[in-house]
Amino acid sequence: MNEHMIAERYAKSFFNILQMHKMLHEGNEDMQQIVALIRESSLFRSFLNNPLYTSQARQKLVSKLLKEKITPLTLHFLLLVIKKKRIAYLQVIAVAFIDLYHKNQQTGKALIELAHPIFSTTLEKSLVIFIKKITGWKAVQLSVLVNPELVGGYILTFKNKRLDASFRARLQQLKNVWTKSPR
């Protein structure tokens, strides 16, 4: 079975349970913590994927490690994922859940890459309003990344769309035109 199909099934089930208990926000925070832990800790990642550890050993460690950091409902869900031997899909499940949460809340993430760290609150508010109008989202979480390779301008990425208004892209377009034109 495809890992995305597995992830969707588990994420939807967990989403529905949290929705019944009116704990979607807490579940989303828990899943974001889990994704961060998996991405940042190679030791935790290797522990989860190491076939030498039994399900009971994994459950014990996950319980000790996360008991104080996540809600009991999320911990129970993680233990179930381990018991069903789907722990290898945990990151994909967590990301699928976060996506479901954002769709439900009509929120989304956007990234703006700038050549220089010049960013004002007015510009941020304007971008958020622009993104809300285009996407229909109620809220936007905007991240700023400084990328000196852009030379100037910006790249705005949201909802699988990429608006590239960087000087680097324009220079590349000019280069392509010059190399294709006959002399």
Side-chain angles (χ1 to χ4, degrees):
M1 192 181 286
N2 184 338
E3 75 175 12
H4 292 290
M5 288 175 59
I6 293 168
E8 285 291 319
R9 286 182 179 179
Y10 277 84
K12 282 180 185 176
S13 298
F14 186 52
F15 184 88
N16 291 336
I17 290 167
L18 288 173
Q19 203 168 30
M20 278 188 339
H21 288 86
K22 298 184 185 335
M23 293 180 63
L24 279 175
H25 181 70
E26 293 86 351
N28 181 55
E29 288 177 356
D30 291 346
M31 287 297 169
Q32 288 188 9
Q33 283 182 16
I34 291 165
V35 168
L37 178 64
I38 293 170
R39 284 185 181 156
E40 294 168 8
S41 175
S42 60
L43 186 62
F44 185 68
R45 236 186 352 264
S46 64
F47 170 76
L48 292 178
N49 295 319
N50 190 333
L52 297 176
Y53 293 106
T54 64
S55 292
Q56 292 82 10
R58 287 185 180 134
Q59 287 178 326
K60 205 178 272 190
L61 180 83
V62 167
S63 290
K64 282 184 181 179
L65 185 65
L66 299 174
K67 189 175 185 177
E68 302 295 322
K69 296 179 181 175
I70 60 175
T71 62
L73 201 54
T74 303
L75 181 59
H76 182 71
F77 174 73
L78 291 180
L79 298 178
L80 178 71
V81 169
I82 293 168
K83 182 180 176 185
K84 295 289 184 178
K85 301 188 184 327
R86 299 295 194 188
I87 196 65
Y89 304 108
L90 181 59
Q91 186 173 4
V92 184
I93 292 168
V95 169
F97 176 86
I98 293 167
D99 288 344
L100 280 173
Y101 176 80
H102 285 298
K103 284 178 188 172
N104 179 269
Q105 300 295 312
Q106 294 182 342
T107 61
K109 292 182 180 181
L111 170 69
I112 184 157
E113 293 180 60
L114 300 165
H116 305 285
I118 49 168
F119 202 70
S120 67
T121 55
T122 309
L123 179 59
E124 183 178 352
K125 287 178 184 176
S126 300
L127 273 171
V128 168
I129 290 169
F130 171 73
I131 294 168
K132 282 180 182 179
K133 280 186 179 180
I134 289 177
T135 60
W137 291 338
K138 291 181 181 176
V140 176
Q141 181 184 353
L142 186 63
S143 300
V144 180
L145 176 68
V146 177
N147 183 356
E149 292 179 9
L150 298 180
V151 183
Y154 64 90
I155 299 174
L156 181 62
T157 308
F158 61 93
K159 203 176 186 177
N160 297 330
K161 293 181 182 10
R162 182 177 167 109
L163 246 133
D164 192 342
S166 66
F167 289 172
R168 180 182 67 186
R170 299 297 175 246
L171 290 171
Q172 186 64 42
Q173 288 173 347
L174 283 173
K175 179 182 173 186
N176 291 342
V177 168
W178 281 88
T179 55
K180 289 181 183 176
S181 65
R183 296 187 185 189

